[in-house]
Amino acid sequence: METSERPTFETEAGEEIYRYVERHGTAARHRVREITSLEPAEFQEALSGLKDRGYLEDDGGTLQIALDVGSVEAYSTGDFEYVIRPAGQSDFEGLIDTIRDVTAEDTYIVAESIAEQLLYEDAVNRHNAAESRVFFVATVDGEVVGWVHLDLPQLDKLQSTAQLTVGVRGDYQRCGIGGNLVDRALGWAEANGYRKVYNSVPIINDEAIAFLETRGWETEGVRKEHYTIGDEFVDEVMLAYTF
């Protein structure tokens, strides 16, 4: 299922199943049937319909939403190899740890809020009538070392724009991972009809601003004293990439 496609349902049973799985990231098949209190035949019919329409995937009895966000890409720095791929619910802990590592210095507030949102919702990817959220991760030997995230509003008036966060653990910075993560997210956004992507950072995060500016991002606005960092009020810089 494409993130630009709002989920619609043929039956109330199908909607109930999808909403439970989407809200929880993944869910055991038998648990979903128990929670929804559907008869086995009705449950099977509704679930089959969701799978046939590309809404849900069933991985050995574990259900998850099916979003078409691309394949695995392999890279080599000469010193180590890494892959960039769509994130799944199994990356939850690695994502949280990596985001917290990157945001430990209080210079990337939006990304810090994403970690808190993940913890609150207990789900990596979301796709419903109100919002969509997708992550790509960079992994080394299976461990998450970086991420890029796109927040995709479903409101018609906002559907052509997205909000991005990106970060790489300190030990793996300046190896090209961050640039490849951003390229992956921008390539996906452009292919899916988005016209503009935003990223907002505190004005004191010179490294992040320079990183984006060298890749064609432009400052579109500054919100004065938007953040409170320590005892100081700090401006927010809103940067945008336009296709």
Side-chain angles (χ1 to χ4, degrees), residues 160-227:
S160 62
T161 64
Q163 178 79 26
L164 176 148
T165 68
V166 61
V168 178
R169 285 182 177 270
D171 292 344
Y172 293 95
Q173 292 180 2
R174 298 174 180 82
C175 298
I177 297 176
N180 285 328
L181 281 165
V182 170
D183 288 346
R184 176 65 181 268
L186 292 179
W188 182 90
E190 183 177 21
N192 283 272
Y194 291 87
R195 62 179 177 84
K196 187 175 287 190
V197 178
Y198 292 97
N199 190 353
S200 298
V201 297
I203 200 167
I204 59 175
N205 194 339
D206 298 312
E207 188 170 359
I209 294 171
F211 169 81
L212 293 172
E213 287 177 338
T214 60
R215 287 162 175 80
W217 292 65
E218 297 181 350
T219 297
E220 286 205 340
V222 175
R223 291 202 281 187
K224 305 298 288 185
E225 299 183 347
H226 184 64
Y227 300 118

Side-chain angles (χ1 to χ4, degrees), residues 7-18:
T8 59
F9 305 97
E10 298 173 336
T11 65
E12 291 183 3
E15 182 174 5
E16 190 175 3
I17 292 169
Y18 180 85

Side-chain angles (χ1 to χ4, degrees), residues 55-116:
Y55 279 26
L56 292 182
E57 297 174 335
D58 187 347
D59 182 11
T62 298
L63 302 177
Q64 62 184 10
I65 59 174
L67 289 177
D68 184 10
V69 290
S71 58
V72 176
E73 298 174 351
Y75 298 88
S76 176
T77 67
D79 295 323
F80 61 88
E81 296 180 347
Y82 66 95
V83 301
I84 292 177
R85 58 170 175 77
Q89 191 64 20
S90 61
D91 297 306
F92 184 86
E93 295 295 338
L95 265 172
I96 295 295
D97 290 344
T98 298
I99 295 173
R100 284 182 163 171
D101 178 80
V102 171
T103 60
E105 296 182 359
D106 289 334
T107 56
Y108 202 177
I109 314 302
V110 175
E112 186 178 355
S113 70
I114 295 300
E116 296 305 314

